[in-house]
Amino acid sequence: ARFSSDNQREESIDAQIRACRTYASSNGWIIVREYCDRGISGTSDNRPEFLQMIEDSKTGNFDAIIVHKLDRFSRNVQQTIGYISELKDNGVELKSVIEQFDDTPEGEFMRNMMSNISQYYVRNLAREVMKGMKENAYKCLHVGGIPPLGYYVDLDKKYQIDEKEASIVKKIFELYIDGNTHQKIITELNSLGYKNKKGTEWTKNSILSILRNEKYIGTYVWNRVVAKNSKGKRNGHREKPVEEVIRIPKGIPAIIPTETFQKVQGIIAKRKLGEDSPRRSGTVY
């Protein structure tokens, strides 16, 4: 069983489990275990309970897996075919309460067709959601996620400066321009009792992400980083082509002067060049 978004709740899991239990009972089957992933997309391959179920299929402890509907199993055609093939190798059938598929070529064709429809549905939905998000981005509105340190989002979805957090941002830029290393900045922030946006420990990457963030000079930026991969992970260092990124100068309130920001970018570039430069070696006679 699985639900993936705020539109589906714990009750969705209960309904799926109830339907699967009824289906099993009507077929005279005994349920040996129930696997549930909460708040995880069916397009992602990073589903702990699902992956445990696939792994357990190798033990021979069960003969079939029951899902309420095929899209609860997966919304990705390639994953669906691959996992069903793996289950078949392990002697395990996949049964759906709603859709009835047999092992005939026609049954396999229908199952693959339903999987394609499910994948099309979720990808088309994502496209429509993206369209709405893009329109909001052109208006410089917040479109999801946690706003950067120094900002909060008001009821109109507009970015506003959080003065208390903004003072931390200014301090980081000040310390960096004064020549402090990342570790010294982290030590100073901790000594002052400053916390990052998530309330977790400061790291070199969290400091750099602030120092490089154009939002602090008032530039609204959206759609810069590539989407999550099939395992639900995102590489924050991979960026989309420039033409796909929405970048609007003076779109939000600025916390840092442009001159200060540019100076910091120059220091970052020089430090990186120093780190990447080959070390010379010599021999002493």
Side-chain angles (χ1 to χ4, degrees):
R2 174 186 64 80
F3 74 86
S4 60
S5 71
D6 293 335
N7 294 327
Q8 297 172 320
R9 302 183 301 276
E10 191 69 35
E11 292 84 350
S12 173
I13 290 282
D14 295 339
Q16 292 172 51
I17 291 295
R18 188 180 303 107
C20 289
R21 288 173 179 169
T22 301
Y23 183 81
S25 178
S26 65
N27 284 277
W29 296 341
I30 298 172
I31 297 175
V32 294
R33 180 165 171 177
E34 295 170 352
Y35 300 84
C36 305
D37 280 306
R38 293 166 169 82
I40 300 178
S41 169
T43 61
S44 171
D45 204 18
N46 187 24
R47 293 178 277 160
E49 285 283 286
F50 177 86
L51 293 176
Q52 185 62 56
M53 178 182 70
I54 299 298
E55 184 65 25
D56 290 348
S57 71
K58 302 174 183 177
T59 64
N61 289 337
F62 51 83
D63 307 299
I65 290 171
I66 306 172
V67 293
H68 181 243
K69 196 176 178 183
L70 188 61
D71 64 8
R72 299 301 89 189
F73 185 78
S74 175
R75 285 185 179 273
N76 180 292
V77 176
Q78 186 177 359
Q79 288 178 11
T80 299
I81 294 174
Y83 282 123
I84 288 177
S85 178
E86 184 174 349
L87 290 174
K88 191 173 182 180
D89 290 342
N90 296 334
V92 176
E93 295 180 77
L94 177 65
K95 298 291 185 180
S96 168
V97 175
I98 300 299
E99 307 107 342
Q100 302 301 314
F101 306 117
D102 54 34
D103 290 330
T104 64
E106 292 79 12
E108 183 178 353
F109 171 79
M110 289 299 297
R111 184 178 60 210
N112 290 343
M113 185 177 72
M114 291 301 299
S115 184
N116 270 289
I117 291 173
S118 179
Q119 178 172 288
Y120 167 77
Y121 169 79
V122 72
R123 292 185 66 181
N124 183 60
L125 179 62
R127 180 172 57 187
E128 293 302 311
V129 169
M130 177 64 78
K131 189 188 301 181
M133 292 172 71
K134 185 177 290 187
E135 286 304 309
N136 282 338
Y138 280 123
K139 299 173 185 176
C140 298
L141 301 179
H142 180 67
V143 292
I146 301 173
L149 185 73
Y151 292 102
Y152 70 93
V153 178
D154 65 19
L155 296 177
D156 295 322
K157 295 186 178 180
K158 293 182 178 180
Y159 284 91
Q160 303 294 346
I161 294 177
D162 181 318
E163 295 297 344
K164 184 177 180 180
E165 291 183 359
S167 66
I168 302 175
V169 174
K170 292 175 182 177
K171 187 68 175 178
I172 291 172
F173 274 84
E174 176 187 317
L175 290 169
Y176 196 78
I177 287 178
D178 287 344
N180 291 282
T181 63
H182 297 100
Q183 188 53 54
K184 284 185 178 179
I185 294 174
I186 290 171
T187 301
E188 178 71 10
L189 295 177
N190 288 335
S191 68
L192 294 171
Y194 291 157
K195 301 292 184 182
N196 63 26
K197 196 73 173 185
K198 295 181 179 179
T200 55
E201 294 184 358
W202 293 95
T203 64
K204 177 182 176 180
N205 286 338
S206 62
I207 297 296
L208 279 173
S209 66
I210 288 174
L211 294 172
R212 289 172 170 162
N213 196 333
E214 294 177 76
K215 283 190 173 73
Y216 292 123
I217 56 172
T219 300
Y220 180 94
V221 182
W222 181 76
N223 202 37
R224 180 179 60 83
V225 181
V226 296
K228 295 178 181 178
N229 60 21
S230 61
K231 298 185 182 299
K233 295 183 178 180
R234 192 192 307 275
N235 184 345
H237 299 293
R238 288 186 59 202
E239 297 188 3
K240 292 185 177 181
V242 177
E243 60 271 15
E244 294 184 26
V245 181
I246 294 177
R247 183 176 275 104
I248 304 174
K250 299 181 180 179
I252 62 175
I255 293 176
I256 300 296
T258 301
E259 298 76 16
T260 301
F261 185 82
Q262 290 175 341
K263 187 175 182 179
V264 164
Q265 303 320 300
I267 297 173
I268 291 174
K270 286 181 181 179
R271 287 192 182 183
K272 182 172 177 57
L273 184 62
E275 292 173 358
D276 294 343
S277 297
R279 296 178 182 273
R280 294 193 176 194
S281 60
T283 302
V284 177
Y285 292 93

